[in-house]
mmCIF file of all heavy atoms in Angstrom:
data_model
loop_
_atom_site.group_PDB
_atom_site.id
_atom_site.type_symbol
_atom_site.label_atom_id
_atom_site.label_comp_id
_atom_site.label_asym_id
_atom_site.label_seq_id
_atom_site.Cartn_x
_atom_site.Cartn_y
_atom_site.Cartn_z
ATOM 1 N N ASN N 71 82.706 143.128 19.983
ATOM 2 C CA ASN N 71 83.489 142.851 21.192
ATOM 3 C C ASN N 71 83.744 141.365 21.410
ATOM 4 O O ASN N 71 84.574 140.999 22.246
ATOM 5 C CB ASN N 71 82.747 143.381 22.432
ATOM 6 C CG ASN N 71 82.975 144.870 22.632
ATOM 7 O OD1 ASN N 71 83.964 145.416 22.150
ATOM 8 N ND2 ASN N 71 82.075 145.514 23.353
ATOM 9 N N GLY N 72 82.999 140.508 20.740
ATOM 10 C CA GLY N 72 83.132 139.076 20.998
ATOM 11 C C GLY N 72 82.550 138.654 22.329
ATOM 12 O O GLY N 72 82.885 137.591 22.857
ATOM 13 N N CYS N 73 81.688 139.474 22.901
ATOM 14 C CA CYS N 73 81.015 139.123 24.162
ATOM 15 C C CYS N 73 79.765 139.985 24.335
ATOM 16 O O CYS N 73 79.618 141.000 23.647
ATOM 17 C CB CYS N 73 81.951 139.308 25.352
ATOM 18 S SG CYS N 73 82.434 141.027 25.594
ATOM 19 N N GLU N 74 78.873 139.591 25.224
ATOM 20 C CA GLU N 74 77.641 140.336 25.502
ATOM 21 C C GLU N 74 77.960 141.796 25.821
ATOM 22 O O GLU N 74 78.762 142.085 26.708
ATOM 23 C CB GLU N 74 76.916 139.716 26.706
ATOM 24 C CG GLU N 74 76.209 138.407 26.412
ATOM 25 C CD GLU N 74 74.939 138.582 25.586
ATOM 26 O OE1 GLU N 74 74.114 139.439 25.963
ATOM 27 O OE2 GLU N 74 74.786 137.882 24.564
ATOM 28 N N THR N 75 77.335 142.719 25.122
ATOM 29 C CA THR N 75 77.646 144.138 25.283
ATOM 30 C C THR N 75 76.363 144.950 25.340
ATOM 31 O O THR N 75 75.521 144.838 24.448
ATOM 32 C CB THR N 75 78.508 144.612 24.085
ATOM 33 O OG1 THR N 75 79.675 143.795 24.017
ATOM 34 C CG2 THR N 75 78.906 146.074 24.233
ATOM 35 N N ALA N 76 76.213 145.747 26.390
ATOM 36 C CA ALA N 76 75.005 146.570 26.530
ATOM 37 C C ALA N 76 75.137 147.857 25.725
ATOM 38 O O ALA N 76 76.191 148.492 25.705
ATOM 39 C CB ALA N 76 74.771 146.905 27.993
ATOM 40 N N VAL N 77 74.048 148.242 25.039
ATOM 41 C CA VAL N 77 73.971 149.545 24.381
ATOM 42 C C VAL N 77 72.825 150.292 25.075
ATOM 43 O O VAL N 77 71.663 149.901 24.949
ATOM 44 C CB VAL N 77 73.693 149.408 22.861
ATOM 45 C CG1 VAL N 77 73.560 150.780 22.216
ATOM 46 C CG2 VAL N 77 74.807 148.605 22.181
ATOM 47 N N ASP N 78 73.173 151.315 25.868
ATOM 48 C CA ASP N 78 72.165 152.030 26.653
ATOM 49 C C ASP N 78 71.712 153.291 25.924
ATOM 50 O O ASP N 78 72.544 154.110 25.537
ATOM 51 C CB ASP N 78 72.743 152.407 28.023
ATOM 52 C CG ASP N 78 73.062 151.171 28.848
ATOM 53 O OD1 ASP N 78 72.141 150.364 29.055
ATOM 54 O OD2 ASP N 78 74.239 151.001 29.247
ATOM 55 N N GLY N 79 70.404 153.448 25.758
ATOM 56 C CA GLY N 79 69.867 154.607 25.044
ATOM 57 C C GLY N 79 69.366 155.681 25.987
ATOM 58 O O GLY N 79 68.954 155.387 27.116
ATOM 59 N N ALA N 80 69.383 156.935 25.517
ATOM 60 C CA ALA N 80 68.922 158.051 26.349
ATOM 61 C C ALA N 80 67.413 157.989 26.544
ATOM 62 O O ALA N 80 66.903 158.217 27.644
ATOM 63 C CB ALA N 80 69.305 159.376 25.689
ATOM 64 N N GLY N 81 66.671 157.673 25.505
ATOM 65 C CA GLY N 81 65.209 157.643 25.581
ATOM 66 C C GLY N 81 64.697 156.315 25.078
ATOM 67 O O GLY N 81 65.104 155.868 24.003
ATOM 68 N N ARG N 82 63.795 155.694 25.851
ATOM 69 C CA ARG N 82 63.260 154.399 25.420
ATOM 70 C C ARG N 82 62.002 154.635 24.610
ATOM 71 O O ARG N 82 60.882 154.556 25.128
ATOM 72 C CB ARG N 82 63.028 153.516 26.651
ATOM 73 C CG ARG N 82 64.367 152.998 27.196
ATOM 74 C CD ARG N 82 64.212 152.300 28.504
ATOM 75 N NE ARG N 82 63.960 153.258 29.589
ATOM 76 C CZ ARG N 82 64.116 152.997 30.894
ATOM 77 N NH1 ARG N 82 64.543 151.810 31.280
ATOM 78 N NH2 ARG N 82 63.863 153.915 31.790
ATOM 79 N N THR N 83 62.197 154.938 23.339
ATOM 80 C CA THR N 83 61.057 155.274 22.481
ATOM 81 C C THR N 83 60.158 154.050 22.258
ATOM 82 O O THR N 83 60.632 152.931 22.149
ATOM 83 C CB THR N 83 61.542 155.812 21.119
ATOM 84 O OG1 THR N 83 62.427 154.859 20.530
ATOM 85 C CG2 THR N 83 62.281 157.133 21.272
ATOM 86 N N ASP N 84 58.844 154.318 22.169
ATOM 87 C CA ASP N 84 57.843 153.260 21.964
ATOM 88 C C ASP N 84 57.881 152.692 20.548
ATOM 89 O O ASP N 84 58.470 153.286 19.647
ATOM 90 C CB ASP N 84 56.424 153.850 22.116
ATOM 91 C CG ASP N 84 56.114 154.219 23.545
ATOM 92 O OD1 ASP N 84 56.846 153.794 24.449
ATOM 93 O OD2 ASP N 84 55.116 154.948 23.735
ATOM 94 N N ALA N 85 57.154 151.615 20.364
ATOM 95 C CA ALA N 85 56.967 151.028 19.031
ATOM 96 C C ALA N 85 56.440 152.089 18.070
ATOM 97 O O ALA N 85 55.498 152.815 18.394
ATOM 98 C CB ALA N 85 55.981 149.871 19.111
ATOM 99 N N GLY N 86 57.051 152.202 16.914
ATOM 100 C CA GLY N 86 56.566 153.121 15.885
ATOM 101 C C GLY N 86 57.062 154.548 16.005
ATOM 102 O O GLY N 86 56.845 155.352 15.104
ATOM 103 N N VAL N 87 57.738 154.878 17.125
ATOM 104 C CA VAL N 87 58.245 156.240 17.320
ATOM 105 C C VAL N 87 59.620 156.362 16.653
ATOM 106 O O VAL N 87 60.411 155.420 16.649
ATOM 107 C CB VAL N 87 58.338 156.568 18.837
ATOM 108 C CG1 VAL N 87 59.025 157.908 19.073
ATOM 109 C CG2 VAL N 87 56.944 156.538 19.462
ATOM 110 N N HIS N 88 59.887 157.527 16.080
ATOM 111 C CA HIS N 88 61.121 157.761 15.340
ATOM 112 C C HIS N 88 62.145 158.552 16.154
ATOM 113 O O HIS N 88 61.805 159.152 17.166
ATOM 114 C CB HIS N 88 60.820 158.556 14.059
ATOM 115 C CG HIS N 88 59.615 158.074 13.342
ATOM 116 N ND1 HIS N 88 59.579 156.857 12.703
ATOM 117 C CD2 HIS N 88 58.383 158.624 13.177
ATOM 118 C CE1 HIS N 88 58.381 156.692 12.164
ATOM 119 N NE2 HIS N 88 57.642 157.751 12.439
ATOM 120 N N ALA N 89 63.386 158.568 15.681
ATOM 121 C CA ALA N 89 64.403 159.417 16.304
ATOM 122 C C ALA N 89 65.234 160.088 15.233
ATOM 123 O O ALA N 89 65.754 159.427 14.338
ATOM 124 C CB ALA N 89 65.315 158.595 17.213
ATOM 125 N N ARG N 90 65.301 161.409 15.318
ATOM 126 C CA ARG N 90 66.263 162.118 14.462
ATOM 127 C C ARG N 90 67.604 162.182 15.175
ATOM 128 O O ARG N 90 68.649 162.193 14.553
ATOM 129 C CB ARG N 90 65.760 163.525 14.141
ATOM 130 C CG ARG N 90 64.892 163.554 12.885
ATOM 131 C CD ARG N 90 64.751 164.964 12.331
ATOM 132 N NE ARG N 90 63.627 165.649 12.938
ATOM 133 C CZ ARG N 90 62.373 165.585 12.490
ATOM 134 N NH1 ARG N 90 62.099 164.880 11.414
ATOM 135 N NH2 ARG N 90 61.404 166.227 13.085
ATOM 136 N N LYS N 91 67.540 162.235 16.533
ATOM 137 C CA LYS N 91 68.780 162.176 17.306
ATOM 138 C C LYS N 91 68.533 161.455 18.624
ATOM 139 O O LYS N 91 68.031 162.051 19.569
ATOM 140 C CB LYS N 91 69.342 163.577 17.559
ATOM 141 C CG LYS N 91 70.702 163.534 18.236
ATOM 142 C CD LYS N 91 71.249 164.916 18.475
ATOM 143 C CE LYS N 91 72.392 164.868 19.476
ATOM 144 N NZ LYS N 91 72.867 166.232 19.795
ATOM 145 N N GLN N 92 68.850 160.191 18.633
ATOM 146 C CA GLN N 92 68.890 159.397 19.850
ATOM 147 C C GLN N 92 70.363 159.283 20.233
ATOM 148 O O GLN N 92 71.234 159.337 19.350
ATOM 149 C CB GLN N 92 68.300 158.019 19.561
ATOM 150 C CG GLN N 92 68.563 156.918 20.564
ATOM 151 C CD GLN N 92 67.707 157.012 21.818
ATOM 152 O OE1 GLN N 92 67.945 157.865 22.681
ATOM 153 N NE2 GLN N 92 66.718 156.142 21.921
ATOM 154 N N VAL N 93 70.649 159.166 21.526
ATOM 155 C CA VAL N 93 72.043 158.970 21.953
ATOM 156 C C VAL N 93 72.128 157.672 22.730
ATOM 157 O O VAL N 93 71.232 157.352 23.512
ATOM 158 C CB VAL N 93 72.531 160.162 22.797
ATOM 159 C CG1 VAL N 93 73.928 159.893 23.357
ATOM 160 C CG2 VAL N 93 72.549 161.437 21.958
ATOM 161 N N ALA N 94 73.197 156.919 22.495
ATOM 162 C CA ALA N 94 73.414 155.672 23.237
ATOM 163 C C ALA N 94 74.864 155.617 23.693
ATOM 164 O O ALA N 94 75.735 156.255 23.087
ATOM 165 C CB ALA N 94 73.080 154.468 22.355
ATOM 166 N N SER N 95 75.131 154.875 24.759
ATOM 167 C CA SER N 95 76.522 154.656 25.179
ATOM 168 C C SER N 95 76.829 153.170 25.141
ATOM 169 O O SER N 95 75.952 152.336 25.405
ATOM 170 C CB SER N 95 76.772 155.250 26.565
ATOM 171 O OG SER N 95 75.768 154.885 27.485
#
Side-chain angles (χ1 to χ4, degrees):
Chain N
N71 278 337
C73 64
E74 285 287 310
T75 303
V77 178
D78 295 304
R82 286 172 286 198
T83 55
D84 290 346
V87 173
H88 317 291
R90 271 197 272 273
K91 186 180 164 184
Q92 164 77 286
V93 174
S95 48

